[in-house]
Amino acid sequence: MASTKTVVLRAFKFTLAPTAAQEQQLLRWCGNARLAFNYALASKRAAHTEWRAQVDALVTSGVKEPVARKRVTGPKTPTKPAVYKAFIAERGDTREGVDGVCPWAHEINTHVFQSAFIDADRAWNNWLDSFKGTRKGRRVGYPRFKKRGRARDAFRLHHTVTKPTIRFSTHRRLRLPTFGEVRLHDSARTLVRQIDRGTALVQSVTVSRAGHRWYASVLCKVEMDLPSCPTRSQQAAGTVGIDFGVKALAALSKPLVPDRPESTLLPNPRHLAKAAHRLKRAQQTLSRRQKGSARREKARRRVARLHHEVAVRRQSALHQITKRLTTRFATIAVEDLHVSGMTRSARGTMDKPGRKVRQKAGLNRAILDASMAEARRQITYKTSWYGSRLAVLDRWWPSSKTCSACGWQNPSLTLADRVFECAQCGLTLDRDLNAARNIEQHATQVASGTGETQNARGEPVRLPRPRAEKQGSTKREDTGPPGPVPPRRSNPPTPPNPRQGQAKLF
Ligand SMILES: [Zn+2]
């Protein structure tokens, strides 16, 4: 099998086992990362407010808004270099008895501050680009200050690669500059060997807290042997369509394990339901505790811990599935993510704010979107590791309302209907399995260029032959016989998406 040596960025995540004193220290560093982010954001906001005031002054004096915007030149929004310079001037120093915004800064690695300044730059630009409409995806709001207890506890350290200060002193100990050595729960042997052999190079480390755990995510440049096309067995298995759900974790158009037909419906791990029970109890306990009490703090920690454990289990189940999928099939077809429609519908406007926005958006929807996004992220990089590829289909294509055998559509299908029943050919199938089969068929049609779908005005649009990401993967003779003749689709729901009627392949 042909393969190419490629350098990729890869994160290795380790669970830390800090001592009690180290944990306090870690929390302190996270606090300083927050402080630095807020410092940078405050200076950006100040400059922006000043600029806005100058524009407004011109507008009230009779100048048109676009002209005024152009005429006001300063003050410029400071970026990292300027922010860092101002910070050095203002921070103070306890060693010299000079008070300032952060006089203890010398006790903390400078990268904690610098990476927070970079993060603030990114948050600012994301908002600006989103505002201007040059950024894809969900609208990004005006950057907010990070609040203790609200924002994720995390900090990031970089180092010069020629003088590595972030390194493993043993398989079980990670050395962080200025901080010292932290013990790991798990062994870093595989990574240490790669570093020793020169096939991995540490770039940075992000330390974060989730629930009761501390993690170190070590970002490395890794030399990998990436296959340039699917293996024979992957090609023989062909395309698989996946429908992610809440009830079942995922429904597949083909069994995940070849000789186990029941492996088309992947159940949500049972311990999730068990945890849900414990979580409910823990939350009840928390609500009974008096505000500000030590026992309330203890109950709060227990709830956070249970939440985190559920997340970890779901994540590990997803990892197992995505690895199996990407190693077994040549093409993995999924539906595109829910863009931002549902949450926005309840949000309302400034004058007429929506009510119970979060509740309406739905917990299930949130879980589903989160795990779909994560599954998609995993499938994306794993397909590149294992020579397979990912096909993403338009979300507004009615995959659950269409019969996977004859193409008949049931427009009145609701979320409560767990079984799809076809009025035309009599097919009776689990709703999610039917959707998965449709996704597979659609992906195969799109890939072979025979698919036909409709654009917003209901006119048939021939899908362009998709760009093949990897050489050799355009060979489609092994994906089995083409699906039935594509049925004429009725008008899909109102398109909130300009990419309506298209399928991206990458
Ligand atoms: Zn049918």
Side-chain angles (χ1 to χ4, degrees):
M1 193 177 61
S3 67
T4 40
K5 274 214 177 354
T6 320
V7 176
V8 294
L9 278 176
R10 190 175 165 181
F12 296 82
K13 198 171 182 182
F14 301 101
T15 311
L16 298 177
T19 63
Q22 280 180 327
E23 199 172 345
Q24 287 309 309
Q25 188 82 335
L26 287 173
L27 278 170
R28 187 165 175 242
W29 283 37
C30 292
N32 277 281
R34 254 188 335 258
L35 179 146
F37 180 91
N38 290 342
Y39 177 86
L41 185 56
S43 63
K44 285 176 204 294
R45 277 188 174 193
H48 181 234
T49 314
E50 169 86 36
W51 174 85
R52 190 64 242 179
Q54 289 185 17
V55 172
D56 283 346
L58 272 180
V59 169
T60 41
S61 71
V63 186
K64 283 228 165 64
E65 166 97 23
V67 185
R69 277 167 172 271
K70 270 190 195 144
R71 205 178 295 170
V72 176
T73 45
K76 253 186 98 186
T77 318
T79 55
K80 189 201 153 196
V83 172
Y84 191 45
K85 211 174 153 191
F87 181 73
I88 289 173
E90 281 188 289
R91 70 184 170 193
D93 198 330
T94 46
R95 292 170 298 186
E96 293 157 16
V98 185
D99 200 25
V101 290
C102 186
W104 53 85
H106 58 90
E107 294 164 18
I108 288 145
N109 190 279
T110 175
H111 288 291
V112 171
F113 302 102
Q114 296 197 30
S115 53
F117 296 154
I118 293 171
D119 293 345
D121 282 359
R122 188 175 304 145
W124 190 261
N125 287 334
N126 284 348
W127 164 71
L128 211 60
D129 292 345
S130 181
F131 187 77
K132 286 190 249 167
T134 49
R135 188 179 195 271
K136 273 200 257 174
R138 183 187 282 270
R139 262 232 176 283
V140 177
Y142 195 59
R144 280 176 296 180
F145 291 111
K146 287 189 193 289
K147 197 177 162 214
R148 189 170 68 119
R150 260 263 185 257
R152 187 175 84 123
D153 284 326
F155 63 85
R156 194 167 72 244
L157 302 174
H158 295 257
H159 69 175
T160 44
V161 177
T162 44
K163 243 176 83 184
T165 45
I166 305 165
R167 56 175 188 265
F168 293 93
S169 40
T170 69
H171 291 169
R172 283 290 184 123
R173 295 188 87 80
L174 175 64
R175 184 169 188 83
L176 302 173
T178 325
F179 190 94
E181 281 179 11
V182 192
R183 213 178 110 81
L184 305 177
H185 259 306
D186 27 17
S187 170
R189 196 172 63 189
T190 352
L191 177 58
V192 171
R193 281 190 183 161
Q194 274 177 282
I195 293 169
D196 290 346
R197 244 183 286 137
T199 53
L201 208 56
V202 177
Q203 304 290 303
S204 68
V205 61
T206 304
V207 177
S208 63
R209 188 184 63 82
H212 60 303
R213 292 271 193 233
W214 283 93
Y215 295 100
S217 182
V218 183
L219 189 71
C220 298
K221 264 189 185 160
V222 183
E223 201 180 271
M224 282 181 84
D225 256 339
L226 297 185
S228 50
C229 59
T231 62
R232 250 180 228 161
S233 77
Q234 278 175 324
Q235 288 190 23
T239 304
V240 65
I242 313 171
D243 184 58
F244 286 99
V246 175
K247 228 176 148 205
L249 189 58
L252 312 180
S253 62
K254 287 173 182 166
L256 190 59
V257 186
D259 45 356
R260 277 180 50 209
E262 74 278 10
S263 63
T264 45
L265 269 181
L266 307 175
N268 243 331
R270 203 160 37 85
H271 41 243
L272 275 179
K274 268 194 212 157
H277 178 71
R278 278 185 291 157
L279 198 54
K280 194 175 146 199
R281 298 294 299 274
Q283 263 153 349
Q284 282 168 348
T285 311
L286 175 65
S287 68
R288 277 199 301 272
R289 297 283 177 259
Q290 206 153 47
K291 280 209 174 132
S293 70
R295 293 179 80 207
R296 185 186 171 91
E297 175 57 23
K298 196 179 158 195
R300 192 196 58 75
R301 275 211 295 269
R302 173 152 173 81
V303 171
R305 178 186 179 140
L306 286 172
H307 268 301
H308 179 58
E309 281 173 354
V310 170
V312 167
R313 284 180 190 143
R314 200 173 166 96
Q315 175 90 348
S316 98
L318 265 184
H319 265 297
Q320 286 177 27
I321 291 166
T322 51
K323 170 147 190 188
R324 284 215 173 151
L325 284 170
T326 46
T327 48
R328 187 161 127 67
F329 296 97
T331 304
I332 293 102
V334 294
E335 264 186 317
D336 201 355
L337 288 178
H338 180 83
V339 190
S340 56
M342 283 239 182
T343 40
R344 195 170 293 167
S345 66
R347 199 176 287 153
T349 58
M350 203 74 144
D351 304 324
K352 264 177 93 178
R355 289 188 59 236
K356 297 203 170 181
V357 176
R358 308 257 325 244
Q359 288 89 332
K360 270 184 203 160
L363 179 65
N364 282 356
R365 193 74 244 173
I367 297 172
L368 179 58
D369 271 358
S371 71
M372 271 172 74
E374 178 56 23
R376 168 126 164 232
R377 190 188 69 83
Q378 290 178 14
I379 293 172
T380 306
Y381 71 77
K382 286 182 190 179
T383 44
S384 77
W385 288 0
Y386 303 123
S388 42
R389 64 178 190 162
L390 170 67
V392 181
L393 304 184
D394 196 298
R395 167 146 208 129
W396 305 99
W397 187 77
S399 62
S400 24
K401 292 184 173 162
T402 311
C403 171
S404 58
C406 72
W408 176 77
Q409 285 198 359
N410 178 3
S412 58
L413 190 85
T414 65
L415 271 174
D417 299 329
R418 296 308 311 163
V419 175
F420 183 89
E421 282 170 31
C422 180
Q424 196 167 296
C425 72
L427 174 85
T428 309
L429 189 64
D430 178 274
R431 168 212 177 85
D432 298 331
L433 283 180
N434 180 57
R437 288 189 189 177
N438 277 323
I439 292 169
E440 184 205 323
Q441 279 175 22
H442 196 54
T444 313
Q445 286 160 16
V446 169
S448 59
T450 58
E452 198 181 68
T453 182
Q454 288 172 331
N455 70 5
R457 291 186 301 279
E459 297 159 346
V461 171
R462 207 152 259 288
L463 283 157
R465 182 175 277 272
R467 184 168 53 89
E469 181 76 9
K470 288 173 207 72
Q471 290 178 333
S473 58
T474 41
K475 278 172 106 183
R476 304 236 54 88
E477 56 265 39
D478 285 323
T479 49
V485 181
R488 263 194 85 82
R489 320 235 178 264
S490 68
N491 249 348
T494 342
N497 185 349
R499 281 180 283 108
Q500 163 75 31
Q502 283 180 21
K504 305 177 271 179
L505 275 171
F506 57 89

